[in-house]
Amino acid sequence: MVLKTLSIINYKNLAEATLSLSPKFNCFIGRNGVGKTNVLDAVYFLSFCHSASTVQDSLAIRHDQPFFVLEGTYLHGEETESVYCGMKRGQKKHFKRNTKEYKRLSEHIGLLPLVLVWPADTYLIEGGSEERRRLMDVVISQMERPYIDALNRYNKALQQRNAMLKIEDAEPDPDVLAILEEQMALEGEFVYSRRKELVERLVPIFQHYYEVISGGHEQVSLSYVSHCQRGPLLEVIRRDRMKDRAVGYSLHGIHRDDLEILLDGHPMRREGSQGQLKSFVIALKLAQFSFLRQGNPQGDMPMLLLDDIFDKLDAQRVEKIVELVAGPEFGQIFITDTNRDHLDQILAHGHADYKLFSVDDGNVVALTTAE
């Protein structure tokens, strides 16, 4: 899958831009805060039906404007298709593929596979477990639509159970609790099996990429931790129902799953330098890309979005990353940087088609094209 053209109107600080894109490298240069990341976020939105950084869709509308519009033209084999998203203030967004509007946005997820690497990814290590669960969910949902549905059903049952546990003036109906727990266990076991499979397949690829980037100077590990490993999930959930009642929420289930991240046998968040944390995240995201490329049911090469990835990395690690992404195993790439030297280095390695854009105060201008 290749994004041929991208049209942006009133998206965040971007007033209007129509970009003709390269099937390989699309490089965006500019100072911090001028809108480079917003271009990549527009591409992300067309794949996932939401922004990577903005919680409310309405906040993506440019200040003092009544709407935003995003439209992409994609090449899928020999066929061309369009994806459109538009939203007016105070109204719901409209998302269309080939002019036909989706009834359920989940039907779109996975059709335009994409991996984003950006500065906020350090929260995968430094943040809470929800960040690491989200990583697993984003990968699997792009490959297996039933996964999203199972996760949504689990979360709905979890919310209903938590609401009952919070009731103060009466004991919750045990029969209703039992039904909700059975639903959580059924969907949770399915989600657990998919997450477990993902991590098992992802780890060796991730460790390979980290070894390349770091020059083999450190050893990293990644392991999956879940309450499902303690026995049948239904038994685990019901075992501590009284504790759950006392605290007012569910203490056990796949909503507490986590990834244990170690550097040379010690927790990465405590031991890792900024460069090591960033190397870890980039290696993990490149492994995610490889996993999607090998397992995408549509046979599509994912797009790779690299936002300001070279900051806090030494010259050796930058060089290794440049060699990796310039290789033939990666398809269409979008990359931002404040330093043109990094981009010139990538382009010199790749000897591939590229387009270079300058971004300044929300304006995107094509600078040069080379074959």
Side-chain angles (χ1 to χ4, degrees):
M1 183 71 71
V2 172
L3 179 56
K4 293 178 61 180
T5 62
L6 174 65
S7 176
I8 302 171
I9 300 175
N10 295 333
Y11 188 76
K12 298 193 172 181
N13 79 322
L14 303 171
E16 185 173 357
T18 300
L19 309 179
S20 176
L21 300 165
S22 164
K24 184 59 178 177
F25 287 108
N26 297 279
C27 308
F28 300 86
I29 303 170
R31 295 172 290 107
N32 289 324
V34 297
K36 303 186 307 297
T37 298
N38 293 339
V39 177
L40 269 58
D41 194 54
V43 178
Y44 184 97
F45 202 117
L46 289 174
S47 282
F48 288 99
C49 308
H50 62 80
S51 165
S53 60
T54 304
V55 176
Q56 297 180 23
D57 292 327
S58 61
L59 296 178
I61 301 175
R62 188 165 172 254
H63 292 315
D64 303 322
Q65 297 299 316
F67 68 94
F68 80 76
V69 171
L70 301 175
E71 188 163 13
T73 303
Y74 295 82
L75 184 63
H76 185 191
E78 298 298 321
E79 298 182 1
T80 299
E81 59 183 59
S82 65
V83 176
Y84 165 95
C85 181
M87 181 179 183
K88 294 181 180 179
R89 290 194 186 277
Q91 299 182 21
K92 71 173 186 177
K93 63 189 170 191
H94 294 276
F95 213 96
K96 302 178 184 179
R97 183 184 180 203
N98 294 332
T99 71
K100 184 178 180 180
E101 187 156 3
Y102 284 102
K103 293 182 179 179
R104 299 173 62 206
L105 293 180
S106 61
E107 297 172 4
H108 182 70
I109 306 303
L111 296 179
L112 305 174
L114 178 152
V115 173
L116 169 65
V117 188
W118 65 325
D121 284 331
T122 56
Y123 286 111
L124 289 171
I125 301 170
E126 300 171 328
S129 60
E130 66 274 9
E131 300 291 340
R132 295 177 284 278
R133 288 193 297 274
R134 186 178 298 113
L135 170 72
M136 294 187 283
D137 296 339
V138 166
V139 178
I140 302 169
S141 64
Q142 290 187 79
M143 298 178 60
E144 191 172 351
R145 192 163 299 145
Y147 180 86
I148 305 176
D149 297 333
L151 188 61
N152 287 339
R153 288 192 295 267
Y154 175 90
N155 287 331
K156 183 177 180 180
L158 171 66
Q159 291 169 2
Q160 291 174 329
R161 184 177 189 265
N162 284 346
M164 295 186 68
L165 292 171
K166 292 176 183 177
I167 297 174
E168 296 182 358
D169 54 357
E171 284 301 312
D173 187 324
D175 293 332
V176 176
L177 276 180
I179 293 172
L180 294 174
E181 289 162 353
E182 289 171 3
Q183 182 77 20
M184 288 174 61
L186 175 66
E187 309 298 351
E189 293 279 8
F190 174 83
V191 170
Y192 166 73
S193 69
R194 297 305 187 268
R195 288 176 177 174
K196 180 173 179 289
E197 180 183 2
L198 167 69
V199 175
E200 289 174 350
R201 294 174 58 186
L202 203 64
V203 165
I205 308 172
F206 151 70
Q207 289 178 324
H208 164 73
Y209 279 129
Y210 191 90
E211 183 176 9
V212 171
I213 294 171
S214 69
H217 294 156
E218 309 109 25
Q219 297 295 319
V220 291
S221 64
L222 184 70
S223 58
Y224 180 32
V225 180
S226 175
H227 289 143
C228 288
Q229 295 158 346
R230 301 181 181 179
L233 186 55
L234 183 59
E235 293 181 10
V236 174
I237 293 172
R238 286 181 171 171
R239 189 181 303 153
D240 286 322
R241 187 190 284 181
M242 294 305 296
K243 289 184 181 179
D244 293 354
R245 174 67 173 139
V247 298
Y249 57 87
S250 303
L251 292 167
H252 297 90
I254 57 151
H255 61 287
R256 305 298 292 268
D257 287 0
D258 203 352
L259 293 173
E260 185 179 59
I261 298 171
L262 300 178
L263 173 69
D264 292 331
H266 303 284
M268 170 71 85
R269 73 170 70 192
R270 293 206 305 262
E271 301 290 331
S273 67
Q274 288 297 310
Q276 289 169 329
L277 264 62
K278 196 148 193 178
S279 299
F280 185 100
V281 166
I282 293 171
L284 186 57
K285 288 299 189 79
L286 293 183
Q288 175 185 341
F289 179 95
S290 179
F291 185 83
L292 286 172
R293 184 191 65 196
Q294 296 173 16
N296 186 271
Q298 307 296 323
D300 292 321
M301 177 81 80
M303 291 175 284
L304 181 63
L305 278 54
L306 305 174
D307 183 31
D308 192 25
I309 66 168
F310 298 118
D311 183 43
K312 297 183 176 66
L313 293 176
D314 59 45
Q316 180 183 359
R317 295 185 188 229
V318 168
E319 183 177 356
K320 294 299 183 181
I321 295 168
V322 166
E323 291 174 358
L324 284 171
V325 301
E329 63 268 32
F330 293 94
Q332 189 176 32
I333 297 174
F334 296 78
I335 184 166
T336 72
D337 207 312
T338 57
N339 185 345
R340 180 164 177 171
D341 291 342
H342 291 147
L343 300 181
D344 286 340
Q345 189 179 0
I346 290 176
L347 299 176
H349 268 83
H351 303 292
D353 181 272
Y354 72 88
K355 290 197 175 179
L356 194 62
F357 301 89
S358 172
V359 185
D360 187 25
D361 293 331
N363 297 308
V364 187
V365 179
L367 291 180
T368 186
T369 306
E371 296 297 325

